[in-house]
């Protein structure tokens, strides 16, 4: 009996040593990305304008990094809050922790060099070496042309400074450990020639992170690649209602019946001078899709995205876009 107890004690001790060693390894070896590059981004007007276009209408950084007014359809950003941060994503929305979008005005990023900004945008590693939860789609931004990332950096450096302290994000266990293994080195691509409409559309679709919202996910929150763009990803609201993304594959349950004109009009209608953003009452259907932001995308860019989406695998997935709180209980 004493021998058995001794063996169990050794095993228990070995397990403890292994766990401590594994935790230490995670802390020391990850996130496994290079040190920030020496980088000084020029702040030319052309670069700032390109960054403004991307951050407000393509990558829509300002979607999460501003205050959105969800008393209005699609939650347009509130004037005077661009880059302020503070958008909260928590358990009520299906996230494994409580995460906040950071203040990315010059006040919030004053301790970041341009090289550190490039690294955090494209790899998800902060200037003090911490990994970010991939709520910010850095895995997609890491595939973008560095010139476009530089333009976004120039733009956010030009924003009006806003003095606003954002709480620290807190991931649940064991996600806080798993997060350390997610960041990878950026694998940037040059922007394709717009004349190659499908390749250019694929680039823009990646930059906009369309696949992330328009693809179902596993219980662990990972997108299911074989269901890419088929919609149905659920987004829970604090009131218990559930939103689901649309199927944007060229299937009859998706975009098969849409032509280019209809696709472009779906976005541009929100930019029409006669359009008034409707009020939405609590419990009614609203959209997380930042339509008013995407409506500022250039027609040729929307056409390129449409051309690319027509080439993806058609997947049959009839999506119920909204389930009210009483029906989802």
């Amino acid at each position: 009996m004493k021998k058995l107890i001794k063996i169990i004690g050794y095993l228990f001790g070995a397990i403890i040593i292994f766990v401590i060693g594994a935790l230490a390894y995670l802390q020391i070896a990850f996130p496994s990305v290079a040190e920030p590059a020496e980088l000084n981004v020029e702040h030319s007007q052309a670069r700032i304008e390109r960054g403004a276009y991307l951050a407000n209408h393509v990558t829509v950084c300002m979607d999460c990094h501003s205050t959105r007014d969800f008393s209005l359809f699609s939650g347009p950003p509130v004037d005077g809050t661009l880059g302020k941060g503070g958008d909260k994503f928590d358990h009520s929305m299906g996230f494994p922790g409580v995460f906040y979008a950071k203040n990315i005005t010059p006040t919030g990023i004053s301790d970041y060099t341009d090289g550190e900004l490039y690294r955090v945008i494209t790899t998800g590693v902060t200037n003090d070496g911490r990994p970010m939860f991939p709520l910010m789609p850095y895995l997609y931004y890491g595939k973008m042309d560095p010139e476009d990332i530089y333009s976004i950096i120039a733009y956010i450096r030009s924003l009006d400074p806003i003095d606003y302290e954002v709480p620290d994000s807190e991931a649940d266990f064991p996600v806080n450990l798993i997060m350390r293994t997610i960041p990878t080195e950026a694998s940037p691509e040059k922007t394709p020639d717009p004349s190659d409409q499908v390749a250019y559309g694929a680039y823009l679709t990646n930059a906009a992170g369309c696949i992330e919202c328009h693809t179902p996910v596993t219980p662990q929150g990972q997108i299911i690649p074989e269901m890419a763009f088929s919609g149905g990803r659920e987004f829970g609201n604090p009131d218990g209602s559930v939103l689901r993304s649309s199927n944007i594959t060229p299937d009859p349950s998706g975009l098969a019946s849409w032509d280019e004109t209809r696709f472009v009009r779906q976005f541009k209608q929100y930019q029409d001078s006669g359009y008034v953003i409707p009020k939405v009452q609590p419990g009614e259907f609203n959209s997380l899709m930042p339509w008013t932001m995407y409506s500022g995308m250039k027609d040729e860019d929307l056409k390129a995205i449409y051309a690319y989406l027509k080439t993806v695998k058609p997947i049959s997935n009839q999506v119920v876009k909204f389930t009210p709180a009483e029906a989802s209980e």
Side-chain angles (χ1 to χ4, degrees):
M1 187 58 142
K2 288 182 179 180
K3 187 175 181 180
L4 179 60
I5 292 173
K6 183 181 268 190
I7 292 172
I8 292 172
Y10 285 145
L11 287 172
F12 187 67
I15 291 171
I16 291 176
I17 291 171
F18 174 78
V19 170
I20 292 174
L23 291 174
Y25 178 71
L26 275 174
Q27 293 295 324
I28 295 169
F30 295 94
S32 182
V33 298
E35 291 297 311
E38 291 290 332
L39 181 63
N40 288 296
V41 173
E42 61 171 342
H43 291 185
S44 66
Q45 190 60 34
R47 191 176 283 290
I48 291 171
E49 288 177 1
R50 172 65 176 169
Y53 173 69
L54 292 168
N56 286 285
H57 305 302
V58 182
T59 59
V60 291
C61 311
M62 297 305 141
D63 172 24
C64 290
H65 291 282
S66 304
T67 300
R68 294 178 67 183
D69 183 1
F70 279 104
S71 71
L72 299 174
F73 180 71
S74 81
V78 175
D79 289 343
T81 70
L82 282 186
K84 169 177 171 281
D87 209 0
K88 181 180 179 181
F89 305 85
D90 60 14
H91 301 93
S92 69
M93 303 172 74
F95 290 97
V98 182
F99 306 97
Y100 296 91
K102 290 298 185 182
N103 181 342
I104 58 170
T105 71
T107 302
I109 58 175
S110 61
D111 61 342
Y112 271 79
T113 66
D114 287 345
E116 288 169 341
L117 281 176
Y118 181 85
R119 187 178 74 164
V120 73
I121 292 170
T122 60
T123 73
V125 178
T126 64
N127 62 350
D128 57 359
R130 290 181 296 107
M132 294 180 63
F133 186 72
L135 182 64
M136 187 185 83
Y138 55 80
L139 296 171
Y140 304 108
Y141 297 159
K143 298 176 183 177
M144 290 176 64
D145 190 325
E147 291 297 325
D148 277 342
I149 302 299
Y150 300 160
S151 294
I152 290 172
I153 291 171
Y155 170 63
I156 61 177
R157 293 279 197 207
S158 76
L159 291 172
D160 290 335
I162 299 176
D163 189 9
Y164 181 69
E165 191 71 30
V166 177
D168 289 332
S169 298
E170 292 288 341
D172 296 337
F173 178 85
V175 174
N176 60 332
L177 300 178
I178 296 171
M179 277 170 51
R180 301 192 68 82
T181 68
I182 297 176
T184 58
E185 294 291 357
S187 52
E189 304 171 3
K190 295 297 291 181
T191 306
D193 190 318
S195 64
D196 185 347
Q197 199 176 41
V198 172
Y200 184 54
Y203 177 83
L204 293 170
T205 300
N206 170 78
C210 305
I211 194 172
E212 191 68 23
C213 286
H214 288 277
T215 304
V217 296
T218 66
Q220 292 74 40
Q222 297 174 313
I223 65 171
I224 304 170
E226 56 269 26
M227 295 292 287
F229 301 108
S230 67
R233 180 168 184 173
E234 294 191 349
F235 298 90
N237 290 320
D239 66 0
S241 61
V242 178
L243 291 168
R244 298 176 189 84
S245 57
S246 299
N247 183 342
I248 55 174
T249 73
D251 182 82
S253 59
L255 297 179
S257 64
W258 290 46
D259 61 12
E260 179 185 84
T261 300
R262 180 180 176 186
F263 183 83
V264 173
R265 187 173 63 243
Q266 176 64 36
F267 289 84
K268 302 304 286 188
Q269 64 180 317
Y270 301 100
Q271 200 180 44
D272 190 287
S273 60
Y275 177 75
V276 177
I277 305 174
K279 285 275 189 181
V280 178
Q281 298 303 317
E284 292 181 344
F285 169 75
N286 203 344
S287 177
L288 285 177
M289 178 86 162
W291 288 110
T292 57
M293 301 188 76
Y294 283 132
S295 70
M297 207 182 301
K298 299 172 184 175
D299 284 21
E300 57 266 35
D301 288 358
L302 288 168
K303 290 176 181 178
I305 289 173
Y306 172 80
Y308 169 69
L309 290 176
K310 294 295 279 188
T311 70
V312 305
K313 175 186 173 184
I315 299 174
S316 178
N317 186 27
Q318 196 70 48
V319 175
V320 176
K321 291 185 180 179
F322 179 65
T323 304
E326 60 271 15
S328 63
E329 292 175 353

